[in-house]
Amino acid sequence: MADVENRVSENVAGDYYVDDQCIACGICVGEAPDNFEMGADYAYVYKQPENEAEKTACESALEACPVDAIGSDG
Ligand code: SF4
């Protein structure tokens, strides 16, 4: 389970975030390219979801993350 206390600094403010457990696999970027992108070491949320389609994509990313590094309680 992602820990909001460990969110990586690149995340924009808001509900969705990536924490420091990320292994940079890139799955979340594939699931929600309008919201997640890869940084040097971690993925991060560069834009919070702004509509239902983006929210659904972010939920898919959260569920697909193999190490539970994505949270929605930010
Ligand atoms: S799916 Fe999870 S582990 Fe993979 S890049 Fe995204 S946040 Fe990191």
Side-chain angles (χ1 to χ4, degrees), residues 18-19 21-29 36 38 42-44 61 64-70:
V18 175
D19 82 2
Q21 298 177 94
C22 174
I23 58 171
C25 72
I27 290 173
C28 57
V29 178
F36 289 78
M38 292 303 303
Y42 306 113
Y44 60 93
C65 178
V67 293
D68 292 334
I70 300 172

Side-chain angles (χ1 to χ4, degrees), residues 6-57:
N6 297 330
R7 56 190 290 157
V8 299
S9 60
E10 292 92 338
N11 293 294
V12 294
D15 290 348
Y16 287 89
Y17 62 89
V18 175
D19 82 2
D20 63 6
Q21 298 177 94
C22 174
I23 58 171
C25 72
I27 290 173
C28 57
V29 178
E31 293 287 336
D34 293 335
N35 305 96
F36 289 78
E37 64 185 12
M38 292 303 303
D41 299 312
Y42 306 113
Y44 60 93
V45 176
Y46 72 94
K47 183 172 72 73
Q48 296 292 333
E50 294 176 346
N51 54 49
E52 283 305 309
E54 289 184 4
K55 191 164 184 181
T56 298

